[in-house]
Amino acid sequence: MGLQANDYQKKTMETAIYPQAGSGSPIELYYLSLGITSEAGEIAGKVKKMIRDGSLDTVGIIHEVGDVLWYAARLCDALGFELEDVMQVNYSKLTKRKENNVIAGSGDNR
C-alpha cells in the first residue's frame, strides 16, 4: 500500500526548508500560500502550452500536482490540521452539495 496522507504530511517537514518552517507563523502561512499559488500556476502554464502546441506534458503536470500537494500538506500542518481530516471535511461538503443538487454554482454556503 502507498503512503498515507497523514504520514506524507509528517514527512513533508523533512524537506521544509524555508523561514519559520513548522512554526505556524504568519511568515510560514505567507510562504506556503505563495508556493501553492505558484505551483498551481505552473500547472496552468502546462495546460496553456497544450492549447498552443497540441500536446500535453502529463508527467510534468503530475510533478507539479505533487508540488501543490506538498504545499497543501505543509499548509494544513501550519494551521494545525491533519491532511486526512481536511480531505474528509472536503469530501463531506461535496457529497452534501451533490445530495442537495447544488454541486454546481458558486459560493461556500450552498
Side-chain angles (χ1 to χ4, degrees):
M1 183 146 75
L3 190 58
Q4 298 296 306
N6 286 346
D7 293 335
Y8 173 78
Q9 180 179 350
K10 289 177 186 132
K11 287 179 177 292
T12 61
M13 191 60 197
E14 296 170 10
T15 54
I17 311 300
Y18 55 85
Q20 300 180 26
S23 69
S25 71
I27 294 294
E28 183 177 27
L29 298 178
Y30 300 152
Y31 180 87
L32 296 171
S33 297
L34 291 169
I36 202 168
T37 302
S38 175
E39 297 299 339
E42 290 189 41
I43 293 169
K46 291 186 182 310
V47 172
K48 178 196 70 157
K49 288 179 183 175
M50 178 204 63
I51 294 167
R52 183 191 65 203
D53 301 336
S55 63
L56 183 62
D57 178 9
T58 54
V59 173
I61 288 177
I62 288 303
H63 283 114
E64 300 306 337
V65 168
D67 291 342
V68 168
L69 182 58
W70 185 92
Y71 279 102
R74 292 300 319 132
L75 189 55
C76 288
D77 189 64
L79 294 170
F81 292 93
E82 289 189 328
L83 189 53
E84 289 175 12
D85 291 338
V86 173
M87 292 164 58
Q88 184 60 56
V89 166
N90 181 257
Y91 179 76
S92 296
K93 175 186 78 173
L94 294 175
T95 55
K96 182 179 177 193
R97 286 181 181 174
K98 183 178 179 187
E99 290 167 4
N100 294 332
N101 201 29
V102 292
I103 201 157
S106 61
D108 288 337
N109 298 316
R110 304 183 254 148

